[in-house]
Amino acid sequence: MKASSISARPNLFNTHALSGSLLRRGVLRQLTHLKQGQLVLIEDGERHVFGAAGSPLLGEIHVIDPAAWGLVASNGSVGAGEAFIHGYWTSPDLTAVVRVFVSNLEVLDALEGGLAKLGRPLVQALHWLNRNTRKGSQKNIAAHYDLGNDLFEQFLDPTMMYSAAQFLHADDSLEQAQLNKLERICQKLALKPTDHLLEIGTGWGSMALYAAQHYGCRVTTTTLSREQYAFTARRISDLGLQERVTLLLEDYRDLTGQYDKLVSIEMIEAVGHRFLPTYFKQCAHLLKSDGLMLLQAITIREQRYEQAKSSVDFIQRYIFPGGALPCVQKMLEVVSRDTDMNLLHMEDFGLHYARTLRLWHENFRRAQGRLTELGYDECFLRLWEFYLCYCEGGFLERTIGTAQLLLAKPSAITAPLLGRFDA
């Protein structure tokens, strides 16, 4: 997929039949309830200011086309994203706008009511078609990760890691921070040359290659993305690691064997709420009785988990069709109820993800000329700019986080590990 075929979700209401000024007034009325941060909205030279005067958090919106009001009124925050994709509004600091709304969730929830609420059953029904069955998972993964390796190469660092980095020093580059993350994962798993490591979710191969090269262990890694599979296969061959790294194109539910260690980096978001027990049961089944599992997950705040389960946000609509963020409490509930594993250590570093996203966004902006040459159109570029800033704002305001969970099987020798990563 090169040039995008993006179109806003069909409006469930004939907004032309409604008064445009009425829709505009309704949205502006909701904005008067902003309490945290400040929002400046400019349209045709008219300036509106909402929120806390003098707040250091300042977002600014420039409305270019009044069609934006109809999309926001009928589709809420998803409609705001659609309007941005089509160029109906812009901002000098999109992340700041996202942060203002995220820090005023009651206003955001109100925008999801009204006309947007009436269309919710249809939206949920359409999203149900994206559930992560074996066939559905293949389709959902392809919809994002098979957009083209050349796309991801333009904004990721040379490690090609597409997950939160860990900035251990103030001057760490993005590449160094990703290497920090890989090293930290290997240390938490106490990897050694005699281990056989299973990775669920290959990405572009860096975790598997790092573990094999730096710790001398055997690695079996699996992905559902054909683009990632081809890219990683070339990397394995180029490095001469065919004897140490086994690459699979298989669903995690179809894996067999017994492994000493297991790692899964930001793959659980593609599992789906319904399949969390299946996922953790399978992980426990694949581990030896003394095995360790390192899970890195994007998480949602516990207080928003149930609401998120029954809604379809911008990311699910346009970026990850089958995406579903777990909360830490739900994951631990499933682990304790459905497996023999227990939590040994947990680390949250969501603010590191915000910095990661900011650097990806900077790279993406610099690469827009090249991306246009590669065939990605303006709507696609605005879609991805909105996606990156949308996520950065969420991490900065801590409505979403990033956690590494170290899980242990009953016979795991964990005493030497305790306390090593608490500093």
Side-chain angles (χ1 to χ4, degrees), residues 74 80 90 175 193 217 239 261 304 345-346 350 353 386 420:
S74 62
T90 187
E175 181 178 8
C217 59
L239 293 169
K261 309 287 170 61
R304 303 287 294 182
H345 184 273
M346 186 179 79
Y353 216 149
F386 192 87
R420 284 176 58 189

Side-chain angles (χ1 to χ4, degrees), residues 168-184:
L168 303 184
H169 304 96
D171 59 348
D172 279 346
S173 66
L174 178 58
E175 181 178 8
Q176 182 58 56
Q178 291 291 8
L179 293 173
N180 293 343
K181 184 257 301 290
L182 294 176
E183 176 62 21
R184 198 164 173 83

Side-chain angles (χ1 to χ4, degrees), residues 55-130:
S55 171
L57 177 56
L58 174 64
E60 186 174 309
I61 289 175
H62 295 258
V63 177
I64 309 300
D65 191 316
W69 301 111
L71 284 169
V72 175
S74 62
N75 294 338
S77 59
V78 175
E82 292 170 342
F84 186 87
I85 293 169
H86 290 286
Y88 297 162
W89 67 275
T90 187
S91 173
D93 188 344
L94 183 53
T95 299
V97 172
V98 173
R99 291 184 65 188
V100 169
F101 280 103
V102 170
S103 62
N104 292 272
L105 286 173
E106 67 284 354
V107 176
L108 196 59
D109 290 341
L111 287 172
E112 303 295 344
L115 295 177
K117 186 176 181 180
L118 294 177
R120 193 171 298 157
L122 177 57
V123 173
Q124 291 172 339
L126 293 172
H127 184 63
W128 182 83
L129 298 175
N130 295 326

Side-chain angles (χ1 to χ4, degrees), residues 36-51:
Q36 307 298 322
Q38 188 174 66
L39 182 70
V40 176
L41 191 150
I42 301 170
E43 181 182 23
D44 292 332
E46 188 177 347
R47 180 184 176 95
H48 302 268
V49 181
F50 306 95

Side-chain angles (χ1 to χ4, degrees), residues 315-366:
I315 300 295
Q316 293 166 315
R317 176 66 181 87
Y318 284 108
I319 303 297
F320 295 104
L325 298 187
C327 66
V328 171
Q329 181 180 348
K330 183 63 179 179
M331 289 191 291
L332 294 181
E333 174 191 319
V334 173
V335 167
S336 63
R337 184 190 66 217
D338 295 325
T339 81
D340 60 351
M341 297 188 293
N342 66 281
L343 178 68
L344 180 64
H345 184 273
M346 186 179 79
E347 177 184 13
D348 183 276
F349 55 105
L351 291 179
H352 291 243
Y353 216 149
R355 183 172 172 183
T356 303
L357 283 154
R358 178 171 55 80
L359 293 173
W360 285 346
H361 185 209
E362 291 174 2
N363 291 343
F364 190 83
R365 291 292 296 270
R366 284 193 292 267

